[in-house]
Amino acid sequence: MKFTCSTTSLNKAIQTVQRAISSKPTAPIFSGIHIIAAENILYVQAMDLNMAISCTVESNTEANGEIVVSAKHFAELMRKLPGETVTITKNKEERTITVQSAKSDFQLLLMNEDDYPKFPEFNPEKQIVLEDEKIKELIKKTIFSCSTDEARPLFTGILVEIGEGKITFVGTNTHRLAIKSMPYEAGEEMSIIIPARVLAEIARNLNSDLPQEIKISLLNNQIMVVIDQIIIVSRLIEGKFPDYRRVIPPSFNTKTRFNVKELAGAVERVALFSSDGDYSIIKVSVGDTEIVVTSSSPDVGKGREDIQCRTEGETLNVAFNSKYILDILKNLSDEEAVMELNNSLSPVCIKPVGEENYIYIVTPVRVVF
């Protein structure tokens, strides 16, 4: 095998597919990147048991063939090559490749390509078709609520529901819940759980200057997404997602309207005076015309900030993990939002004033005021 291609193009493809490789591969071969050279096209692939990514690159191929090379060393080398083009030659007898770029010349050991699984392909039974900007927004406004705890895989994904003329994305870690819906006309109702890791890759690669339709193809427990020269294949998360609608209180005693940037700034600053760690607790006192945000730590000091609000109903005190509040406020594009509450321990709803199909539920923290 021997080919020459753009250093930048090959490096970009490697950085893209490398994200499919697990930090702890289930087998040594999955720590490698698979490159197939065929008819002036390179197929650059990486995978683990749950996700596979392939990317094509144009090349000048002198001899077809395939290699598997350590992702860690190959990716680092490609990032630092000096020349605009790179020539890679497979030395079959030595089980190495020679990498030449400008005046640089390197040799890397190869892994056994016969051990590398074939990239998955399938003919889909169903498809979800969405404009790129719409799927990007659906992902952005829900993915931050997902859990990162692999011990609870059900909550490391986003529930995607289609029915009643809309598509709904739902993310939760059981302490908070983000729900975003958009109009969507489809002939068949559907409910699947897509890993957040896969959706993050989809969003990361939606960077075309031209509008495009994104097709999510489904077969059994697998999905396949094609974005320009990139193919992402993944397993769906299996299991029954809990009924998220039951978490949303049917009514609220208190509703307060506030400026999103003002509250975000106040929470961010006051949280500096809270305890370190995963639970940076802030206390929020909702009054008739003011929201008072406070926190304190014996090691740091005390913080307090007031912002204006317009409240209907009872005044009350509530405490939150500050990160959970900041995450939603940073994802609101509207100038104003509404916080709806019942008491200091029941779920709180935050939603933008001008966006009906987006709500966020967060569970307060039990503290003494």
Side-chain angles (χ1 to χ4, degrees), residues 252-308:
F252 295 92
N253 299 325
T254 301
K255 295 183 182 181
T256 187
R257 185 164 172 162
F258 59 89
N259 181 281
V260 171
K261 285 186 178 179
E262 286 181 5
L263 183 58
V267 170
E268 205 161 22
R269 289 183 287 271
V270 171
L272 296 172
F273 293 85
S274 183
S275 302
D276 292 334
D278 293 336
Y279 270 79
S280 174
I281 305 301
I282 56 162
K283 297 177 180 179
V284 177
S285 297
V286 178
D288 292 326
T289 58
E290 275 189 336
I291 294 175
V292 181
V293 185
T294 60
S295 69
S296 63
S297 166
D299 300 324
V300 183
K302 296 179 180 179
R304 172 186 168 130
E305 198 157 334
D306 305 353
I307 70 160
Q308 290 185 328

Side-chain angles (χ1 to χ4, degrees), residues 48-271:
D48 65 10
L49 290 179
N50 296 311
M51 181 165 71
I53 303 178
S54 174
C55 193
T56 57
V57 177
E58 291 183 2
S59 72
N60 180 6
T61 304
E62 293 183 36
N64 294 348
E66 62 179 306
I67 56 171
V68 178
V69 62
S70 164
K72 179 182 176 183
H73 299 100
F74 190 49
E76 278 299 308
L77 177 60
M78 285 302 306
R79 282 179 55 239
K80 296 172 181 176
L81 287 179
E84 291 185 4
T85 62
V86 58
T87 299
I88 294 178
T89 308
K90 181 179 180 180
N91 312 307
K92 194 170 183 180
E93 295 77 15
E94 300 173 16
R95 301 295 301 163
T96 63
I97 52 169
T98 301
V99 181
Q100 297 169 306
S101 182
K103 295 182 179 180
S104 300
D105 193 315
F106 304 93
Q107 280 199 340
L108 281 173
L109 292 172
L110 292 175
M111 305 169 80
N112 187 357
E113 64 266 19
D114 293 335
D115 293 340
Y116 205 87
K118 191 172 185 286
F119 194 84
E121 297 177 359
F122 61 81
N123 294 316
E125 289 180 342
K126 305 174 185 175
Q127 276 193 335
I128 301 171
V129 182
L130 281 168
E131 295 166 21
D132 54 355
E133 288 302 318
K134 288 185 176 180
I135 191 169
K136 192 185 291 187
E137 185 177 1
L138 285 163
I139 294 169
K140 178 178 180 287
K141 294 201 169 181
T142 53
I143 197 168
F144 63 88
S145 283
C146 292
S147 174
T148 55
D149 183 2
E150 294 297 334
R152 300 189 303 169
L154 202 63
F155 301 111
T156 62
I158 287 179
L159 174 68
V160 178
E161 286 187 329
I162 295 176
E164 300 177 357
K166 63 182 179 179
I167 183 168
T168 302
F169 276 38
V170 183
T172 184
N173 67 355
T174 71
H175 299 294
R176 58 175 173 176
L177 171 72
I179 308 165
K180 173 65 182 173
S181 297
M182 286 186 177
Y184 185 82
E185 294 300 331
E188 190 174 354
E189 293 188 355
M190 195 184 300
S191 179
I192 57 175
I193 306 171
I194 302 177
R197 179 185 171 203
V198 175
L199 289 168
E201 289 307 316
I202 293 172
R204 185 180 280 115
N205 288 291
L206 294 177
N207 45 30
S208 172
D209 294 331
L210 299 173
Q212 58 180 326
E213 283 190 336
I214 304 302
K215 294 178 181 177
I216 300 177
S217 302
L218 300 124
L219 178 66
N220 299 327
N221 71 332
Q222 283 194 311
I223 64 167
M224 178 172 64
V225 185
V226 180
I227 306 169
D228 295 329
Q229 306 301 314
I230 300 165
I231 300 173
I232 302 170
V233 179
S234 168
R235 291 183 181 179
L236 296 171
I237 295 175
E238 298 187 58
K240 184 169 175 56
F241 204 83
D243 185 0
Y244 62 90
R245 296 172 184 85
R246 293 178 58 188
V247 180
I248 308 170
S251 61
F252 295 92
N253 299 325
T254 301
K255 295 183 182 181
T256 187
R257 185 164 172 162
F258 59 89
N259 181 281
V260 171
K261 285 186 178 179
E262 286 181 5
L263 183 58
V267 170
E268 205 161 22
R269 289 183 287 271
V270 171

